[in-house]
Structures are given as structure tokens and as C-alpha cells.
């Protein structure tokens, strides 16, 4: 989880991260992820809700989030992780 926070802070995705409702990104963004953190052993998000997202939670009863990784995003994350490790100073 800490690696996810570091990658989010470093902008590894190369774009803003948005939440959707019911795994239907074509329906529109429910919220923009503004910050990630680990607290109490859980990954926490600070989000900026859209009206569509607020309605999804209040009116439609959506209460849980599940992550979806796309192949392109995963390949970019792996490449970035390799670059970050190669830039690390060796231990003396």
C-alpha cells in the first residue's frame, strides 16, 4: 500500500485518477482522487466528489470501492518502479 501512495504522489499514472460507479467508466467520473494515505492498515483516499458520484452514494446505495487496473497502467507502473530502483543509491 505504501508503494501505491508513493507512486500516486510521484504521478506515475501520468494522469489524474478518477472513480467510477459500478465499473462503468463510460458513465462518467464519480470522484477525482486528490490524495492517498495508509492509516490503520488501510488505504485511504481523499476525493473530490462530482454530483454524479454523490448521487451514486446517496441515492443508489453504492458504498464500496474496488480497484481496477488496466494493462497500460500496470505496464507504466512496472516501468516506473524499475526506473526508481535504478536511480536509488547503492548501500555502502
Amino acid at each position: 500500500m505504501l508503494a501505491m501512495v508513493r507512486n500516486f504522489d510521484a504521478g506515475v499514472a501520468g494522469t489524474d485518477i478518477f472513480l467510477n460507479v459500478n465499473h462503468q467508466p463510460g458513465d462518467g467520473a464519480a470522484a477525482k482522487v486528490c490524495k492517498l494515505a495508509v492509516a490503520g492498515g488501510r488505504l485511504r483516499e481523499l476525493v473530490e466528489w462530482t454530483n454524479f458520484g454523490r448521487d451514486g452514494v446517496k441515492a443508489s446505495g453504492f458504498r464500496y470501492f474496488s480497484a481496477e487496473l488496466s494493462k497500460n497502467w500496470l505496464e507504466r507502473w512496472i516501468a516506473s518502479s524499475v526506473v526508481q530502483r535504478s536511480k536509488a543509491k547503492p548501500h555502502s
Side-chain angles (χ1 to χ4, degrees):
M1 286 187 287
L2 290 174
M4 292 175 74
V5 172
R6 284 192 301 271
N7 285 336
F8 180 84
D9 290 344
V12 170
T15 187
D16 289 332
I17 305 295
F18 292 91
L19 304 178
N20 61 53
V21 174
N22 208 27
H23 297 283
Q24 299 295 322
D27 290 349
K32 175 183 171 183
V33 178
C34 300
K35 182 178 180 178
L36 287 182
V38 176
R42 295 176 181 224
L43 184 65
R44 303 291 186 174
E45 297 177 338
L46 175 65
V47 300
E48 181 180 318
W49 291 101
T50 64
N51 290 334
F52 176 63
R54 268 189 226 99
D55 290 344
V57 172
K58 289 181 179 179
S60 300
F62 288 98
R63 297 283 186 258
Y64 300 97
F65 296 98
S66 58
E68 251 182 277
L69 299 177
S70 74
K71 183 176 184 277
N72 290 338
W73 184 90
L74 188 57
E75 288 171 354
R76 187 181 307 179
W77 179 81
I78 290 168
S80 175
S81 296
V82 170
V83 169
Q84 288 176 9
R85 275 188 244 133
S86 69
K87 290 181 180 179
K89 294 180 182 177
H91 295 283
S92 14

